Amino acid sequence: SLSLFLSLCVCGLCMKQGLCTCHSMLYDTHKNLLETDKMASSTAAIDEMLSQRAMAQDTMDALYEMSRILNTGLDKETLSICVELCEAGINPEALANVVKELRRESSHLSATEE
């Protein structure tokens, strides 16, 4: 970018003394425009991340509501962990069986302690 401005100089001073006033202003303006573009793309990326996070939260809220209606007994954190495991490729039926078995074991231990 700087070499482009220097090559356009008609006064010839840029090569000898650095940027002349006109080219210095053009160069600063160009630099500011690049920074503005970077900020705009960063803002767009942040907006996209916030949008994706909001969609994910809406999805988890809907899943939790279904879970509650079906009386699964899963809290939001446990449900979130189960969803992550399913997304990672764990078989949902096998996961459900593990959750049921853990509940049975927990109930059995609670009854034994009393």
Side-chain angles (χ1 to χ4, degrees), residues 30-102:
H30 178 69
K31 198 165 97 175
N32 289 339
L33 286 173
L34 288 176
E35 289 172 8
T36 302
D37 286 345
K38 287 179 189 176
M39 287 190 313
S41 63
S42 296
T43 301
I46 290 170
D47 288 345
E48 178 66 23
M49 285 175 23
L50 291 174
S51 175
Q52 288 177 357
R53 179 175 279 165
M55 286 178 19
Q57 184 62 48
D58 289 346
T59 301
M60 281 307 300
D61 290 343
L63 286 173
Y64 179 70
E65 187 62 25
M66 287 190 286
S67 172
R68 195 185 61 71
I69 290 169
L70 294 170
N71 294 319
T72 63
L74 298 174
D75 60 22
K76 283 187 175 185
E77 183 181 1
T78 305
L79 180 62
S80 178
I81 292 168
C82 290
V83 168
E84 287 179 29
L85 288 170
C86 290
E87 288 175 345
I90 301 296
N91 182 323
E93 274 187 64
L95 182 57
N97 290 332
V98 168
V99 169
K100 288 177 188 175
E101 183 63 30
L102 288 171

Side-chain angles (χ1 to χ4, degrees), residues 104-114:
R104 274 193 289 267
E105 289 293 323
S106 177
S107 294
H108 178 71
L109 287 173
S110 295
T112 305
E113 289 177 359
E114 293 175 1

